[in-house]
Amino acid sequence: MAKAKKKKTSNGFFMYIKWFWALFFTGVLSAVLLFLLASWEYLGPMPTFEHLENPQTNLASEIISSDNQTLGKFYLDDNRTPIDYEDLPKNLINALIASEDIRFHDHSGIDARGTLRALFFLGKRGGASTISQQLARQIYVGPRSSSKFETIKQKAKEWVIATQLERSYTKEEIIKMYLNIYDFGNNADGIRSAARIYFGKEPKDLKVEESAMLVGMLQNSSLFNPLRREERTRNKRDMVLSQMARYEYISEAEKDSLQAMKINLNYNPESHQYGIATYFRMYLQRYMNGWIRKNPKPALEGERDRWSLYLDGLKIYTTIDFRMQTNAEEAVNEHMEKLQAEFFLQNTPARNKTAPFLDLEKEEIDRIMERAIKISDRWRQMKKEGKSEKDIRSSFTKKREMTVFDWKSETHEKDTIMTPMDSIRYYKTFLRPAMMSMEPQTGHVKAWVGGVDYRHFQYDNVYQGAHQVGSTFKPFVYAAAIDQLRLSPCYELPDTQYCIEAGKHGNTEAWCPRNSNGKYSGEMYTLKRALANSKNTITAQLIDLVGPKSVVSIVKNLGLTREILEVPSIALGTENLNVYEMVGAYGAFVNQGVYVKPVMVTRIEDRNGTVLFEYVPETKDVLSKEVSYTMINLMEGVTHGGSGTRLRTTGANKLKREYDEIITGYPYEFKNPIAGKTGTTQNQSDGWFMGMVPNLVTGVWVGGEDRAIHFKTITYGQGASMALPIWGLYMKKNYENKELGVSDDEFPEPEEISIELDCTKEVENGEDKKDMDDDLEDLDF
């Protein structure tokens, strides 16, 4: 009986062993079969060798400054910019391996121990996906399916692709690819974007606790989102830190110290409307679209034959200097906030019942508002939707919640309730600035500010906006006279009313321009003194001597492409030109008469570093060295007794003007050589300043959206008050940073010069100070 029982027990044991091995080998064979079926593409298409070698991920195109900083990116859904393994901090790699795949360096894509553990415990003690498998899922397989059958298929494909990736790439390359591909949420695609957006720094600068938080987000960036679920994200970070301590990447003391810390974010959203150089980036977008149309893409079979600015990860190397761009934006904001405060004060209902418009009848205002309505986004969108004109117009009179621009707010935004019609009028009350700065010897544009805030004012006044240039056009007339007639800055002409008769130089009637103050001194003025004090009578005599045709010829050679009428009145700046053109043209004066077309892009590379484009400078000899140096000498007079003299002095910190309000003042006290020209147009609608030092030319314009939006008098309305302070603030900031290398030397003098330049008895001795601030161009001929 006992023997029979023992035999039965023995048979049961062997039966158990038999079934165990049967199930084991069945499982192994099933796994092998599943593996083979996946590799043979019975479970769906697999990536080709070419695609494994060149995985097609969507990459943002990166805009890079001349000092190697990221200005911004172009992307649709994926704000991804890859970085090299060497740029990943050690603490980030340690956190990744400790929490995701501790045997990463020991397996070939599949962790056998981890897989068996996951199967035995049904995943309750952790998953089995290696970093290579997670990379395979991110690039080729896609999100996990809710179907169990589909999940098994996906897992099999991950195994096959993971082993293929391990054969194609080194361990370091796999880590790099994985961190570059992951979507960390909030437009933070890839580790570089994540570090910049969540912590405001490059990945190499991440601290241990910051790396741990980002690694914790790899499990589910939506679930562990620090902006929405801070406590949950912190708990996940602490789990990663515990894993790092467990595998001795950090000590227990370090772990405890770091876990006691709160999550300290420095959130910097990246989008097309935020960040630095927004107006320049929008210009660059148009530039790149034009380049893409002309340059086809060499593509693999099945790929696009056209470059995508938003998907192909182009690297666009620009001339913009990040530091100078920052200085420019700060200077614009510092001055415009104060200037705007005075403009608001002068346009209260008690002082201006038609604000922000000045001296307009109701019918004229209605025409301006009607035009603004019909070019608005609301009108276009509702028209596109098929709405009737009655419904569209009705929508402009209904109050709604909106966020508008506001100088007083720290974010320059405020929430309010108003009608769309009121919002149009509200935005018209804001003055608009534009500024561009260029190195004249190379044409490299160093700073570009097209407005005060791209989120609310999306019209770029550097390139898109053309405005009357006033007295800033006069140097072109003087250049023509000096070039043709060899006139000296000491050459004298009378300050008397001067007329060019009808029929001469294309005049249909006599042209008799007045000086800005309506007075004529009758004195003899040297050209240098006349330009410094912007005497219209002298400029009229000069254009009569050389003719408008020769002036137009010079400005065309200086890069001004717009159609300019060959009539005498152009001498006083009646033409509409933009800041981009004016800076390029003035650059030739500094660059010894050689015009260099402004350059914004120096090189374009694809994602692999292959050079697709390199710029070739476009230059033209326009003026002789002698003539261009004479022009510089003339315009230095503007800052020594002319309308730019305030750059040389230190005014009170508070400039008290009309209504005892405060604008920037003039705390500059520059001692170095500066050449420049202010400009003011009829009714103070436009204020200009063009400023030059030996290696930097900068143009500034300030004005309203419509010409009827302006200051009442030249106290604030002249270029010396509206535009010059921005130049002064910008240059002060530049000179404070010696690394920028902005010159404070003398302008280079030609070896031979025959034109007499010594007029020290005139404006440099401070004569005629009464005209210092009279740079208003009265264009009422």
Side-chain angles (χ1 to χ4, degrees):
M1 184 74 179
K3 191 173 182 179
K5 185 175 181 180
K6 184 176 181 181
K7 184 176 181 180
K8 185 176 181 180
T9 302
S10 178
N11 287 340
F13 175 75
F14 283 114
M15 183 63 67
Y16 174 80
I17 294 295
K18 181 179 178 181
W19 275 106
F20 171 79
W21 284 110
L23 290 172
F24 176 79
F25 283 115
T26 300
V28 170
L29 289 171
S30 297
V32 170
L33 180 61
L34 191 64
F35 194 91
L36 289 171
L37 288 172
S39 63
W40 293 335
E41 299 193 3
Y42 282 101
L43 302 182
M46 298 289 284
T48 64
F49 174 78
E50 288 78 11
H51 281 89
L52 280 173
E53 290 293 310
N54 299 282
Q56 297 303 303
T57 55
N58 293 335
L59 301 181
S61 291
E62 184 178 11
I63 309 163
I64 302 169
S65 69
S66 62
D67 52 331
N68 205 34
Q69 300 290 315
T70 298
L71 293 173
K73 301 175 186 177
F74 294 119
Y75 62 91
L76 293 177
D77 299 317
D78 297 328
N79 177 23
R80 180 178 294 104
T81 304
I83 59 173
D84 294 328
Y85 181 83
E86 292 73 22
D87 296 321
L88 298 172
K90 189 66 176 175
N91 60 51
L92 178 69
I93 297 168
N94 292 341
L96 175 64
I97 291 175
S99 64
E100 296 294 318
D101 191 356
I102 194 59
R103 286 177 290 278
F104 175 68
H105 289 289
D106 300 323
H107 62 66
S108 298
I110 301 174
D111 182 4
R113 285 175 57 185
T115 301
L116 290 173
R117 183 195 65 231
L119 288 171
F120 190 79
F121 293 104
L122 300 177
K124 294 179 180 179
R125 296 193 180 180
S129 289
T130 63
I131 293 173
S132 303
Q133 288 175 252
Q134 293 179 49
L135 174 61
R137 184 191 313 158
Q138 289 289 326
I139 299 180
Y140 300 111
V141 179
R144 185 70 72 227
S145 173
S146 58
S147 165
K148 289 185 178 180
F149 179 70
E150 285 297 322
T151 298
I152 293 172
K153 286 171 59 178
Q154 287 179 324
K155 200 70 178 176
K157 292 171 73 173
E158 283 175 21
W159 288 346
V160 175
I161 297 171
T163 58
Q164 291 175 335
L165 288 171
E166 291 273 352
R167 290 198 298 268
S168 299
Y169 298 98
T170 65
K171 293 289 186 178
E172 290 76 15
E173 288 172 329
I174 288 172
I175 286 179
K176 176 194 75 173
M177 292 169 66
Y178 179 51
L179 291 173
N180 279 330
I181 198 69
Y182 191 78
D183 179 0
F184 289 86
N186 297 300
N187 282 333
D189 299 291
I191 190 63
R192 184 164 184 241
S193 292
R196 288 168 58 86
I197 288 175
Y198 290 119
F199 298 110
K201 59 180 66 174
E202 294 294 329
K204 61 184 175 61
D205 300 319
L206 288 170
K207 299 176 182 178
V208 174
E209 68 275 15
E210 294 168 342
S211 292
M213 189 203 86
L214 293 175
V215 167
M217 294 177 70
L218 292 170
Q219 184 175 335
N220 187 324
S221 59
S222 178
L223 186 64
F224 302 110
N225 184 331
L227 298 180
R228 293 184 296 166
R229 299 184 174 93
E230 182 178 349
E231 191 62 32
R232 179 176 286 179
T233 305
R234 179 179 176 180
N235 292 337
K236 183 63 178 177
R237 179 205 67 180
D238 292 348
M239 290 175 61
V240 174
L241 291 170
S242 295
Q243 287 294 97
M244 293 180 74
R246 175 184 176 186
Y247 293 112
E248 300 181 352
Y249 288 117
I250 58 175
S251 66
E252 285 292 327
E254 285 179 293
K255 180 203 76 172
D256 293 340
S257 174
L258 294 173
Q259 287 181 339
M261 297 172 64
K262 292 183 178 180
I263 290 178
N264 185 22
L265 296 179
N266 179 16
Y267 184 59
N268 293 273
E270 289 188 352
S271 79
H272 305 307
Q273 295 187 359
Y274 289 86
I276 194 169
T278 46
Y279 290 92
F280 171 74
R281 285 190 271 139
M282 291 306 102
Y283 162 81
L284 188 62
Q285 183 182 46
R286 296 191 298 272
Y287 171 91
M288 287 300 301
N289 287 336
W291 180 86
I292 286 169
R293 283 193 296 270
K294 299 174 185 176
N295 294 270
K297 173 187 178 183
L300 295 172
E301 185 177 350
E303 291 185 355
R304 300 183 307 272
D305 61 357
R306 179 171 172 166
W307 293 106
S308 170
L309 183 59
Y310 309 99
L311 305 174
D312 283 334
L314 300 175
K315 288 188 179 294
I316 307 162
Y317 292 88
T318 73
T319 60
I320 297 293
D321 186 291
F322 192 97
R323 300 158 297 181
M324 295 174 78
Q325 179 69 29
T326 301
N327 292 345
E329 293 184 11
E330 289 177 355
V332 167
N333 285 344
E334 286 172 22
H335 176 63
M336 291 304 298
E337 182 175 2
K338 295 178 180 180
L339 188 68
Q340 188 67 51
E342 173 62 21
F343 190 75
F344 281 150
L345 187 76
Q346 294 188 23
N347 284 278
T348 60
R351 290 179 175 140
N352 182 11
K353 294 180 180 179
T354 60
F357 310 104
L358 196 63
D359 301 327
L360 285 189
E361 298 296 329
K362 183 179 182 302
E363 293 75 16
E364 296 174 290
I365 295 174
D366 289 343
R367 282 197 295 270
I368 291 174
M369 294 299 293
E370 175 70 9
R371 184 169 64 249
I373 288 171
K374 289 193 173 181
I375 64 172
S376 69
D377 290 337
R378 171 178 292 276
W379 182 281
R380 285 197 299 268
Q381 184 60 36
M382 294 185 74
K383 271 286 185 183
K384 188 177 179 181
E385 293 171 359
K387 303 290 185 181
S388 68
E389 185 166 325
K390 181 180 178 181
D391 289 341
I392 296 173
R393 290 188 179 278
S394 175
S395 75
F396 278 88
T397 60
K398 294 177 181 177
K399 288 188 175 183
R400 60 189 68 243
E401 294 180 354
M402 59 179 70
T403 301
V404 297
F405 180 79
D406 179 30
W407 274 118
K408 295 179 181 179
S409 167
E410 185 177 345
T411 62
H412 290 166
E413 287 186 322
K414 70 176 181 181
D415 294 328
T416 188
I417 298 176
M418 64 173 69
T419 68
M421 177 69 84
D422 288 338
S423 75
I424 289 175
R425 194 154 186 157
Y426 172 77
Y427 276 110
K428 283 186 178 293
T429 63
F430 288 94
L431 297 173
R432 314 297 168 90
M435 174 183 180
M436 188 178 110
S437 194
M438 183 190 80
E439 186 178 72
Q441 291 77 17
T442 62
H444 287 191
V445 174
K446 295 299 182 181
W448 179 304
V449 184
V452 291
D453 191 316
Y454 187 78
R455 294 172 298 175
H456 297 278
F457 305 95
Q458 296 189 1
Y459 189 78
D460 173 26
N461 282 293
V462 169
Y463 194 80
Q464 289 178 298
H467 313 279
Q468 279 193 0
V469 293
S471 280
T472 56
F473 194 88
K474 287 179 179 176
F476 304 132
V477 179
Y478 278 67
I482 293 169
D483 186 44
Q484 287 188 27
L485 307 176
R486 313 299 293 172
L487 299 182
S488 162
C490 308
Y491 183 78
E492 293 185 333
L493 289 169
D495 177 25
T496 56
Q497 186 172 36
Y498 189 85
C499 291
I500 299 177
E501 63 269 24
K504 188 177 183 182
H505 301 313
N507 272 347
T508 56
E509 57 185 47
W511 181 60
C512 306
R514 298 178 300 170
N515 284 328
S516 60
N517 59 6
K519 300 176 183 178
Y520 311 97
S521 67
E523 299 178 23
M524 297 300 290
Y525 268 69
T526 64
L527 297 190
K528 190 167 188 176
R529 183 181 169 199
L531 185 63
N533 291 284
S534 215
K535 290 294 180 180
N536 293 344
T537 55
I538 307 299
T539 310
Q541 293 173 66
L542 290 177
I543 201 166
D544 191 19
L545 285 172
V546 297
K549 186 173 183 178
S550 63
V551 176
V552 171
S553 176
I554 281 181
V555 298
K556 290 291 185 183
N557 286 326
L558 291 174
L560 305 186
T561 58
R562 299 168 193 270
E563 192 65 33
I564 297 177
L565 294 176
E566 295 178 359
V567 293
S569 61
I570 63 171
L572 304 188
T574 55
E575 294 298 321
N576 291 330
L577 302 170
N578 63 29
V579 175
Y580 169 88
E581 292 173 311
M582 291 294 287
V583 172
Y586 268 66
F589 295 136
V590 185
N591 194 34
Q592 300 184 318
V594 179
Y595 169 75
V596 182
K597 185 177 180 179
V599 176
M600 283 69 72
V601 177
T602 57
R603 190 169 79 256
I604 301 171
E605 296 178 357
D606 69 10
R607 66 174 68 189
N608 299 314
T610 302
V611 177
L612 306 174
F613 164 82
E614 280 191 293
Y615 92 104
V616 177
E618 296 181 40
T619 65
K620 180 184 289 187
D621 292 339
V622 181
L623 301 170
S624 69
K625 292 181 180 180
E626 186 179 26
V627 171
S628 60
Y629 183 73
T630 302
M631 286 305 304
I632 290 294
N633 179 272
L634 276 169
M635 287 187 280
E636 281 187 281
V638 173
T639 65
H640 286 283
S643 54
T645 302
R646 60 188 65 186
L647 291 172
R648 301 289 182 193
T649 59
T650 301
N653 289 331
K654 296 181 178 181
L655 248 186
K656 289 195 173 183
R657 301 290 196 188
E658 193 174 2
Y659 312 124
D660 291 330
E661 278 304 297
I662 303 165
I663 58 171
T664 302
Y666 39 105
Y668 314 119
E669 205 170 12
F670 291 114
K671 304 296 184 185
N672 57 293
I674 299 170
K677 188 69 192 80
T678 56
T680 312
T681 61
Q682 188 175 18
N683 296 328
Q684 303 80 246
S685 293
D686 306 274
W688 287 81
F689 183 70
M690 306 296 299
M692 295 166 282
V693 296
N695 65 349
L696 198 65
V697 178
T698 304
V700 183
W701 168 86
V702 176
E705 184 179 39
D706 300 284
R707 296 196 61 76
I709 300 169
H710 55 81
F711 283 104
K712 189 172 184 178
T713 68
I714 64 170
T715 301
Y716 291 104
Q718 63 179 306
S721 296
M722 289 210 292
L724 178 144
I726 292 174
W727 190 92
L729 292 168
Y730 169 65
M731 293 301 289
K732 288 280 281 189
K733 294 173 187 290
N734 286 341
Y735 282 127
E736 287 169 3
N737 186 347
K738 300 299 182 184
E739 292 181 0
L740 294 176
V742 177
S743 175
D744 58 2
D745 297 331
E746 298 283 343
F747 289 93
E749 185 175 343
E751 293 181 4
E752 297 182 6
I753 185 163
S754 60
I755 297 175
E756 176 60 50
L757 301 178
D758 187 8
C759 304
T760 54
K761 65 179 180 179
E762 297 296 338
V763 78
E764 285 149 293
N765 279 338
E767 295 183 13
D768 204 29
K769 292 290 186 181
K770 68 181 185 300
D771 291 321
M772 184 184 301
D773 291 324
D774 291 343
D775 188 31
L776 175 64
E777 309 319 318
D778 193 333
L779 305 179
D780 188 16
F781 338 120

